[in-house]
Amino acid sequence: GGGLTEYAQFYRIGTQPGTITAAQSFTLDGLTNGFPNPAAPTSGIIKTDGVTTNLGPAGSVIQLTNIGKYEITFNSIISSDGAMSIAAGTNYSTNLVELAYTVVGRTTAATPIGGTFIVDVASAGLYITLIAAIGNSAAIQLATAGTTNSGVTTLSIKKIA
């Protein structure tokens, strides 16, 4: 008994394929159930049923298939001023809307940025994605973590109720 019944952990090591403009999703391409993905060793996922991946452009959209409350945490290092946030909606190709309470930003370059939020999934099948916040004035790029280590973007999802 007890424990988490639904969860997912996504990661991408290194830079995104290009800069990420305001409202654009971070790329989570090549994700499969397994950590790491042998076909794309710079990205991977551990997940349970109830979290569907590889949706939307470059596999950047995730579907939470069950009703409930989910704790969503993201973390990254970006190389310029900017912000990140979570967007959600019922159709991943036409209506993902930024969740304003999830916007996290900073003005110092090459420092970690992240946050933890509760998202209430009131109807089955909510789509979510990690985006460059809508208010960003310039595109953002993932940075390295120090002089020799690649930066890592992570996204964790836990169904908590």
Side-chain angles (χ1 to χ4, degrees):
L4 295 172
T5 58
E6 293 178 31
Y7 58 85
Q9 172 75 51
F10 304 87
Y11 73 92
R12 181 177 179 91
I13 300 171
T15 61
Q16 292 283 308
T19 58
I20 305 151
T21 58
Q24 181 180 358
S25 295
F26 281 71
T27 300
L28 301 171
D29 61 336
L31 298 180
T32 59
N33 194 12
F35 201 147
N37 174 3
T42 59
S43 62
I45 178 177
I46 296 176
K47 73 175 199 68
T48 61
D49 291 339
V51 180
T52 304
T53 61
N54 285 327
L55 303 168
S60 58
V61 178
I62 300 148
Q63 185 180 35
L64 304 175
T65 57
N66 296 311
I67 294 171
K69 294 187 182 355
Y70 291 79
E71 179 183 277
I72 301 176
T73 301
F74 62 83
N75 188 48
S76 190
I77 300 173
I78 58 176
S79 59
S80 60
D81 296 353
M84 298 166 57
S85 63
I86 298 168
T90 57
N91 184 318
Y92 69 82
S93 60
T94 60
N95 74 341
L96 294 179
V97 177
E98 181 177 72
L99 302 178
Y101 69 94
T102 69
V103 176
V104 178
R106 72 330 168 252
T107 59
T108 306
T111 58
I113 184 173
T116 300
F117 306 95
I118 304 297
V119 174
D120 188 7
V121 178
S123 60
L126 184 75
Y127 296 96
I128 64 164
T129 189
L130 181 61
I131 65 170
I134 291 173
N136 286 349
S137 59
I140 59 176
Q141 175 72 50
L142 293 183
T144 59
T147 56
T148 59
N149 298 312
S150 294
V152 177
T153 299
T154 61
L155 177 66
S156 300
I157 300 168
K158 296 185 275 187
K159 186 173 186 229
I160 58 173

